[in-house]
Amino acid sequence: MKLDEAIELDGPPVFELEQKVRVRKIIRNDGTFPGKNRGDILLEGGEVGYICGIGTFLQKFYIYSVHFIKKGMIIGCRKNEIEVVEEN
């Protein structure tokens, strides 16, 4: 089954509030981020932020609101776009 076919909401969220995460790849504006053009790069891979909200999209997917403090931005990310940052 492809990632887009699975109904994530059948299980619990993968990430938790206040969890430290890192962007796995470049994040571009899909048209939902105000003040930027569609396709503009919002984040480079490797940028670190904290989960500040968990919502849903299309009654199928979790969307994780991630606060990127250094950038001063909150960006909605899918689970395949972020990963946990392990604390040492």
Side-chain angles (χ1 to χ4, degrees):
M1 184 180 303
K2 294 181 184 176
L3 177 65
D4 286 347
E5 293 174 1
I7 298 177
E8 289 178 29
L9 301 183
D10 285 346
V14 173
F15 302 101
E16 298 175 5
L17 290 174
E18 300 180 9
Q19 196 166 28
K20 188 176 184 180
V21 295
R22 174 182 16 257
V23 175
R24 298 177 68 193
K25 60 183 184 174
I26 290 174
I27 302 292
R28 295 182 180 273
N29 186 12
D30 62 2
T32 60
F33 192 86
K36 300 279 186 179
N37 293 321
R38 180 181 218 120
D40 283 356
I41 293 174
L42 300 175
L43 298 166
E44 298 288 339
E47 302 217 32
V48 173
Y50 295 86
I51 304 289
C52 64
I54 302 172
T56 62
F57 179 64
L58 297 177
Q59 299 177 346
K60 196 172 183 179
F61 306 110
Y62 287 108
I63 298 295
Y64 301 92
S65 296
V66 183
H67 186 191
F68 294 92
I69 297 168
K70 289 184 180 178
K71 290 277 192 177
M73 303 166 77
I74 296 176
I75 306 286
C77 299
R78 298 265 312 269
K79 73 176 181 180
N80 63 323
E81 297 174 317
I82 54 178
E83 62 189 6
V84 173
V85 173
E86 297 296 331
E87 297 290 342
N88 293 333

